[in-house]
Amino acid sequence: MPLAETEWDLVTMWVREYLLDTTDPHSELVQYGFPAEFVAALRLTAVSAENARELVQASRKDIGRQLRLIDVVTALDRLSVLPEVSKALEFQERLREDRRIHASEDNFRTCVLKNGTEVFIDRQKLRETLRQFVGDPEKSVLLVDGDPDSGRSYTFNLIRHIGQHHGFRPARVTLSPTSTADKVIRRFAEFVADPRTGVAPLNPTELNDLLPSIDDAVHWVVGRATAAEDRFWLVLDECDKLEPSSDVWDFIGQLALAIYERAAVSGDQAPRLVLLGYGPSMRQLPYDLRGSLCRDTARIAERDDLRKFFDQYFHESPPGFLGDAEPCESTIAGLVDVAVEEVLRAAEADLNSGESYMRKLCTAAEGAIRVYRTL
């Protein structure tokens, strides 16, 4: 199980007190086996508390780095003689199990996200499209279309889950009829800015000279995203809510083109662009991007989709009442039947509530899983 924020705070304290209480932190880290290029990229100072936060933050980017850090911590002589070492060894064992699970699971097929509390039903084509998008450096823009309330925005939940396993951070801006290029640019600027220095001014014209200033701001955002330690996916949600005359359409085209051009120079470190609710009838993206696009169409989940979802989940997480016994197919089939009927009944109970059908379907499925776990 991953470490909680309070537990990472404890690791940071150990690093500060027992590893980086030194006048030469770079040499100390290399001596303890951290790769020289990793250490060189750290912004280390003469303050051990700042250095500890920097090291822990950099190490939390993926499970391999997390485990490398905790392996070093558990081997520290000054910590090994204290009772606290038992807690460090517990963290080490948990992260080793977490890495084993990460390596054994196909994260693109995961049906229950966020520590088992959030479901993601069906979307098999999306899962394979995302697998292709992640693995192909020539692809820079993902477009997701579909009817309203079909789960287009919910795509972000799966993207966020995959990002945790494949080393990128999705930064989402949700659009509305009142969105402007200025507002969207500033939101993205906040995401990609260095947290130590904050957001620098985009340009002195404050975007008054519309097209040239949007172009300058787009390249500023893409440049910052590329230079950041994290890899970013820039997500624009509910594109279909924009007014036809909105200047955000110009911004989207220029942003897509800037990312495409940056990828030719910076490769996988360049950001990706995800457009949710962006249909074929909307403003066409620049012609140069035609070979860099991936597309998916969302649709409302149906009974068969629910059956496949619960069948996968119950096989991956057999019911606890069976103990160590292998569940027979008839047991799984019976549980699937009950779950599907109950979820459909709950989702269709109040069709006039104002909440989308897909959202109610997912909420009902999450409730069914909570009940199942108590069996």
Side-chain angles (χ1 to χ4, degrees):
M1 184 175 68
L3 303 189
E5 287 298 325
T6 54
E7 293 171 326
W8 280 116
D9 290 341
L10 186 56
V11 173
T12 303
M13 186 273 288
W14 292 333
V15 169
R16 183 188 70 230
E17 296 292 329
Y18 308 126
L19 175 62
L20 290 177
D21 184 19
T22 174
T23 57
D24 190 0
H26 286 93
S27 298
E28 189 78 1
L29 293 176
V30 172
Q31 180 180 335
Y32 271 96
F34 290 94
E37 62 275 12
F38 172 78
V39 175
L42 296 175
R43 302 176 185 179
L44 302 180
T45 67
V47 182
S48 60
E50 294 178 357
N51 294 342
R53 287 193 295 271
E54 174 76 8
L55 176 62
V56 172
Q57 182 180 17
S59 297
R60 291 182 61 179
K61 295 184 186 301
D62 62 59
I63 185 62
R65 292 183 183 184
Q66 292 175 24
L67 190 54
R68 180 176 63 200
L69 173 63
I70 209 68
D71 284 344
V72 169
V73 168
T74 56
L76 294 172
D77 291 338
R78 293 171 60 189
L79 179 62
S80 64
V81 298
L82 300 176
E84 295 172 79
V85 73
S86 62
K87 180 63 70 173
L89 291 170
E90 175 198 326
F91 292 172
Q92 183 185 48
E93 185 60 31
R94 281 167 52 188
L95 289 178
R96 284 176 176 172
E97 177 64 12
D98 201 28
R99 185 175 65 174
R100 184 193 67 77
I101 293 173
H102 281 228
S104 63
E105 289 184 347
D106 182 349
N107 299 302
F108 293 94
R109 293 191 67 251
T110 303
C111 61
V112 180
L113 317 178
K114 292 176 67 174
N115 296 322
T117 62
E118 179 180 70
V119 306
F120 198 87
I121 299 171
D122 191 47
R123 303 293 293 278
Q124 298 305 317
K125 182 177 180 296
L126 169 67
R127 296 170 188 273
E128 294 310 312
T129 299
L130 277 172
R131 191 192 303 275
Q132 175 193 2
F133 192 64
V134 169
D136 188 348
E138 298 298 321
K139 302 298 183 183
S140 59
V141 182
L142 172 66
L143 304 100
V144 178
D145 187 23
D147 294 331
D149 297 331
S150 60
R152 298 171 307 186
S153 295
Y154 207 55
T155 303
F156 180 76
N157 296 51
L158 183 60
I159 289 174
R160 182 175 57 189
H161 169 77
I162 292 173
Q164 294 170 348
H165 298 273
H166 290 269
F168 66 84
R169 291 178 55 192
R172 178 170 64 172
V173 175
T174 301
L175 303 175
S176 72
T178 61
S179 294
T180 64
D182 177 88
K183 292 178 181 178
V184 176
I185 289 168
R186 293 183 187 281
R187 287 291 306 280
F188 277 141
E190 292 172 0
F191 282 121
V192 303
D194 188 325
R196 299 172 186 81
T197 60
V199 181
L202 292 175
N203 61 63
T205 67
E206 290 295 324
L207 305 184
N208 288 329
D209 185 16
L210 184 61
L211 291 181
S213 59
I214 288 180
D215 181 66
D216 290 342
V218 160
H219 283 278
W220 184 92
V221 168
V222 173
R224 280 297 184 95
T226 304
E229 293 183 7
D230 298 304
R231 291 189 298 128
F232 281 98
W233 283 22
L234 306 180
V235 182
L236 286 170
D237 195 0
E238 298 193 0
C239 295
D240 58 321
K241 297 290 181 65
L242 290 173
E243 295 291 343
S245 60
S246 174
D247 62 353
V248 178
W249 295 114
D250 291 317
F251 163 74
I252 291 174
Q254 293 184 54
L255 178 64
L257 188 59
I259 289 174
Y260 167 76
E261 293 171 344
R262 178 72 66 164
V265 177
S266 303
D268 200 38
Q269 187 58 33
R272 304 281 187 95
L273 178 61
V274 179
L275 302 175
L276 304 179
Y278 202 97
S281 63
M282 297 178 186
R283 184 82 64 89
Q284 294 298 300
L285 295 175
Y287 181 75
D288 288 348
L289 273 68
R290 64 194 183 279
S292 300
L293 307 179
C294 282
R295 299 179 183 274
D296 177 70
T297 301
R299 63 176 180 82
I300 295 175
E302 299 176 346
R303 179 183 293 269
D304 284 348
D305 303 316
L306 278 177
R307 294 194 65 83
K308 293 175 183 176
F309 168 82
F310 281 112
D311 184 75
Q312 176 184 339
Y313 178 72
F314 292 153
H315 275 94
E316 292 176 349
S317 303
F321 63 77
L322 294 176
D324 295 330
E326 286 292 324
C328 64
E329 289 303 313
S330 61
T331 301
I332 296 293
L335 289 169
V336 170
D337 289 340
V338 172
V340 169
E341 295 305 323
E342 290 301 319
V343 167
L344 288 174
R345 183 179 297 112
E348 296 169 358
D350 186 6
L351 295 177
N352 298 317
S353 65
E355 190 175 31
S356 76
Y357 179 74
M358 273 297 292
R359 187 179 297 276
K360 290 196 295 184
L361 205 65
C362 291
T363 300
E366 289 164 1
I369 287 176
R370 284 194 295 272
V371 171
Y372 171 76
R373 286 179 166 177
T374 66
L375 298 178

